[in-house]
């Protein structure tokens, strides 16, 4: 069984590769090109950005060119540097109130200088890598801030819609509204009403015609329709007046009180950064939910790098401010349009900025025809939409409506910085109130005393807890129901002391989780030793003894139940660090050396490497095999007997897990199994199929073997066990998909690479002959290399692991039952690669010949 690559003949017409056989392929030469999807998305975003940029500039009182400058710079600079490829930046409605206040206080040139300083501050924050800190702000505060800004925008632009001019504050605008209604301009009202009508009705046109028309943005249709109507009817209205670019005002040195300028920079930085970072997170969610096939272009779009996005926003604000543009931030409307239009890279964002530059230079005569009332109506509609009923329902459901309301009112009547500060103060107060508020009540039912504790148990609740517990008569049976998730050290000791005292006087105590459910709940008790102690306070259905929290610091007695295993879910069972009876362990277990663990992942940490054992070892020979047997024997002398480990695990299942899954398993026993997927993977012990697929009983029909191999059909090379499982899954169970999953550090692939021809034909060698086609495929220069998104395979073993998944999928297609189901469209085939050291799953996509493994979550796999 040779692992050598076939030699090439001298007559090969293909270009010779410069890398060695089995080495990772060289990085492909990248050429700049614009995909058709990016071009169409850029045009769609441009058509939205053009009227909105002019409208936001009008709402702030800035020169109208400033909106175009910010849109162009936001598209080109942020699109090029930023960390969120599909987020579109530019002048944002959320910055309207802040910018209008700056212009009113300091003038336009100083406002541009403040924008430059904001960019420098964002660059500093990005270099400090604190972008994720912005996500710690309560969503109620963010939504309340945007709602307050939206109310301010809508009230101000209402004056322009009615034919007047807005005042400097919301209160002034409200006081001036009656006089404005008395002297409204019919022409301005008519154009505004037409704009709002088109904006509202255009997306609601039904049928196939509507689907075709919806490709044109409603904002563009509304402004174009109002402009055409005003021009055709000869209405006399204030219109856009773009002066010559030669007279455009650039940034000047900041003038004003230092403290005021510092506050202005901080406020603008806060709003710009928070809006941009939250927008980047929202864009990631849109990308993940975008419908498409496995091989769609969306698979190329990576997750946002928030720190890089902050650097991109900072660079854009520096350039925009220096060129006399408005402050720049991520814009939700344009970003959503960019994703929905099918953009696949940052090229769409940059191209939209280029189109704005072209329009600003060549379309000035057309832009000068737009009525200001139409732009004001458009911006007013955007402001109204910022007060989202969905957000209000969400914060109400989470009992944070007070934070939302205070923030909104603070922004409306005091200003953005003041409103956000008030919102943070109220959010902190609400959090403290929830943490310290604990309701404890005592009642008797059918001779059993119940003590119900709702809320977190901290030292502040100990007096109330102690008073209630001492109301329970001695010698009675008590059920303490803990409806919370945290218990500090003081409450833990108080509860434990009472329990010991109560049982010493002839009583019994049972601690349960929420509503006394079987299995209880897990609480965290701060032991004061610098760590949290995790204990199970649930009473199983089969237990009648007290399940009060035990002192975990003490060494268990010899009679301690084997089932007292309190390890977290999904920790490797053989590496559990549970306290076990000392009688079962002669000494501390000595982990196996890393150099004898088979094929090791190159990216593993020393801790994981020393604990690792490969399920499918390489083919050892002579002294190596003898040394491994000797080491294994030495290891067994000092290790806890494997039978005890197994019994401990089973006992823990029966105690903790069986009561939770018994009902579901009973249903499956009655109805039979109906899995939707056949999951064929390696026998490696580190590969837990239910964990990496978040599946449960009845979900997967699993076949495991050494090397996740699928022998081709046929009498000579076939393997009845795997073929029978495939036939049963496809023809009897009617599974809808088959997945072949490989993994890093696969011992079978390492054996294929290192095994020498000749020698005894062991069962392992006979089985691994089914992997030889994968080895030949990797050596075949006529085929594209299987590769990972974002990096090349670290070595030949990883390259073979990837290639093997692709090759085994071809073997699957050769099986008659699979081929028949594929032709009928009743079956899908998927390839996965699980990197053990990274805990990262890669999905085989359909790009570049179908041999690109992309991150799951980035690859677009729809349910």
């Amino acid at each position: 069984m040779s692992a050598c690559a076939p030699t090439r003949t001298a007559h090969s017409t293909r270009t010779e590769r410069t890398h060695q056989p089995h080495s990772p392929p060289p990085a492909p030469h990248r050429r700049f090109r614009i995909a058709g999807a990016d071009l169409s998305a850029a045009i769609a975003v441009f058509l939205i950005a053009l009227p909105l940029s002019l409208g936001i500039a009008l709402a702030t009182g800035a020169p109208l060119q400033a909106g175009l400058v910010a849109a162009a710079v936001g598209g080109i600079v942020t699109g090029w540097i930023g960390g969120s490829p599909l987020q579109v930046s530019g002048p944002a409605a959320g910055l309207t109130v802040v910018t209008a206040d700056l212009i009113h206080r300091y003038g336009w040139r100083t406002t541009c200088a403040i924008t430059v300083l904001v960019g420098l501050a964002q660059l500093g924050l990005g270099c400090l890598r604190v972008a994720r800190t912005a996500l710690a702000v309560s969503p109620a505060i963010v939504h309340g801030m945007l709602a307050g800004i939206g109310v301010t925008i809508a009230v101000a632009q209402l004056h322009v819609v009615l034919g007047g001019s807005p005042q400097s504050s919301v209160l002034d605008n409200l006081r001036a509204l009656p006089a404005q209604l008395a002297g409204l301009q019919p022409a301005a009202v008519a154009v505004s009403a037409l704009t709002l009508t088109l904006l509202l009705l255009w997306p609601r046109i039904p049928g196939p015609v509507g689907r075709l028309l919806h490709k044109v943005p409603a904002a563009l249709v509304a402004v174009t329709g109002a402009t055409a109507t005003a021009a055709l009817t000869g209405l006399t209205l204030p219109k856009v007046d773009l002066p010559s670019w030669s007279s455009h005002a650039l940034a000047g040195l900041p003038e004003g009180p230092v403290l005021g300028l510092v506050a202005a920079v901080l406020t603008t930085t806060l709003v710009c950064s928070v809006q941009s970072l939250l927008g980047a997170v929202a864009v990631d969610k849109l990308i993940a939910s975008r419908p498409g096939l496995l091989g769609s272009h969306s698979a190329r779009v990576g997750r946002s790098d928030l720190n890089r996005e902050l650097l991109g926003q900072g660079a854009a604000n520096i350039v925009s401010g220096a060129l006399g543009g408005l402050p720049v931030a991520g814009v939700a409307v344009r970003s959503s349009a960019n994703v929905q239009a099918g953009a696949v890279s940052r090229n769409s964002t940059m191209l939209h900025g280029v189109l704005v530059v072209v329009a600003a230079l060549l379309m000035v005569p057309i832009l000068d025809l737009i009525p200001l009332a139409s732009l004001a109506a458009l911006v007013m509609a955007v402001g109204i939409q910022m007060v989202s009923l969905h957000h209000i329902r969400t914060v109400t459901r989470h009992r944070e409506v007070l934070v939302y309301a205070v923030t909104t009112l603070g922004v409306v009547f005091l200003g953005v910085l003041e409103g956000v500060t008030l919102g943070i103060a109220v959010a902190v107060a609400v959090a403290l109130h929830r943490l310290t508020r604990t309701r404890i009540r005592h009642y008797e039912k059918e001779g059993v005393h119940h003590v119900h504790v709702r809320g977190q148990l901290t030292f502040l609740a100990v007096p109330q807890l102690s008073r209630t517990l001492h109301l329970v008569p001695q010698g009675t049976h008590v059920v303490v129901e803990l409806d919370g998730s945290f218990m500090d050290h003081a409450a833990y000791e108080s509860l434990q002391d009472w329990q010991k005292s109560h049982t010493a006087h002839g009583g019994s105590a049972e601690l349960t989780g929420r509503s006394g459910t079987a299995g209880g709940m897990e609480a965290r008790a701060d032991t004061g030793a610098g760590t949290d102690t995790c204990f199970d306070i649930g009473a199983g259905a089969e237990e009648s003894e007290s399940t009060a929290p035990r002192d975990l610091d003490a060494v268990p007695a010899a009679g301690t139940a084997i089932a007292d295993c309190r390890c977290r879910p999904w920790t490797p069972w053989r590496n559990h660090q549970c306290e076990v009876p000392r009688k079962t362990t002669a000494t501390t277990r000595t982990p196996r050396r890393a150099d004898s663990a088979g094929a090791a992942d190159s990216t593993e940490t020393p801790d994981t490497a020393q604990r690792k054992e490969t399920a499918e070892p390489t083919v050892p020979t002579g002294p190596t095999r003898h040394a491994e047997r000797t080491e294994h024997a030495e290891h067994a002398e000092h290790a806890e007997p494997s039978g005890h480990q197994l019994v401990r695990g089973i006992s823990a299942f029966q105690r903790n897990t069986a009561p939770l899954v018994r009902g579901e398993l009973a249903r499956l026993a009655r109805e039979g199994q109906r899995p939707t997927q056949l999951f064929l993977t390696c026998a490696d012990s580190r590969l837990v199929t239910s964990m990496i697929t978040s599946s449960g009983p009845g979900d997967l029909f699993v076949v495991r073997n050494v090397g996740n191999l699928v022998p081709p059909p046929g009498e000579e090379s076939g393997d009845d066990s795997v073929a029978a499982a495939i036939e049963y899954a496809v023809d009897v169970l009617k599974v809808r998909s088959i997945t072949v999953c490989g993994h890093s550090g696969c011992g079978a692939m390492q054996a294929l690479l290192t095994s020498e021809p000749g020698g005894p034909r062991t069962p392992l060698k006979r089985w691994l002959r089914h992997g030889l086609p994968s080895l030949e495929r990797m050596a075949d220069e006529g085929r594209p290399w299987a590769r990972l998104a974002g990096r090349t395979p670290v070595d030949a073993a990883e390259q073979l692991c990837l290639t093997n998944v692709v090759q085994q999928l071809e073997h699957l297609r050769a099986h008659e039952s699979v081929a028949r189901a594929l032709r009928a469209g009743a079956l899908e085939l998927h390839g996965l690669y699980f990197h053990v050291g990274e805990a990262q799953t890669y999905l085989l996509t359909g790009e570049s010949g179908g041999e690109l493994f992309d991150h799951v979550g980035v690859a677009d796999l729809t349910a």
Side-chain angles (χ1 to χ4, degrees), residues 446-660:
E446 298 178 356
V448 178
H449 290 263
H450 294 261
V451 177
H452 184 233
V453 181
R454 183 175 182 181
Q456 317 310 321
L457 270 178
T458 66
F459 67 96
L460 297 174
V462 168
Q464 183 184 2
L465 176 65
S466 180
R467 286 194 301 270
T468 306
L469 290 175
H470 281 83
L471 293 176
V472 178
Q474 294 182 356
T476 59
H477 180 62
V478 186
V479 176
V480 180
E481 302 171 12
L482 300 177
D483 190 359
S485 59
F486 177 80
M487 179 189 301
D488 71 3
H489 190 206
Y492 172 78
E493 285 198 346
S494 176
L495 193 59
Q496 189 180 47
D497 292 342
W498 169 84
Q499 186 264 341
K500 290 179 179 178
S501 174
H502 188 73
T503 54
H505 287 84
S508 61
E510 178 182 349
L511 271 69
T512 68
R514 298 181 180 180
S515 304
T517 54
M521 71 173 187
E522 184 185 83
R524 300 190 65 82
D526 185 358
T527 62
T531 58
D532 285 346
T533 299
C534 172
F535 54 84
D536 185 357
I537 57 175
E542 298 85 8
E543 290 185 307
S544 59
E545 61 177 342
S546 170
T547 55
R550 300 176 179 87
D551 186 358
L552 299 186
D553 294 332
V555 178
T560 302
I562 290 178
D564 289 340
C565 175
R566 303 179 182 90
C567 295
R568 294 284 185 168
W570 303 127
T571 52
W573 75 272
R574 69 175 300 277
N575 291 324
H576 278 180
Q577 302 300 317
C578 297
E579 293 288 351
V580 296
R582 292 186 181 272
K583 289 183 178 180
T584 64
T585 332
T587 182
T588 305
R589 285 181 290 173
T590 304
R592 177 174 293 198
R593 294 195 308 270
D595 57 1
S596 66
D601 285 351
S602 60
T603 57
E604 286 185 327
T605 62
D607 180 66
T608 56
Q610 75 171 359
R611 294 184 318 214
K612 159 182 150 181
E613 281 187 64
T614 340
E616 329 88 343
T618 57
V619 183
T621 58
T624 304
R625 183 177 299 179
H626 174 74
E628 287 187 354
R629 285 200 302 263
T630 304
E631 180 188 2
H632 180 73
E634 294 175 355
H635 177 78
E637 289 179 4
H638 300 287
E640 177 185 2
S642 60
H644 289 195
Q645 293 176 340
L646 183 62
V647 171
R648 283 176 48 231
I650 295 173
S651 300
F653 165 79
Q654 292 298 146
R655 175 174 180 256
N656 299 325
T657 309
L660 304 178

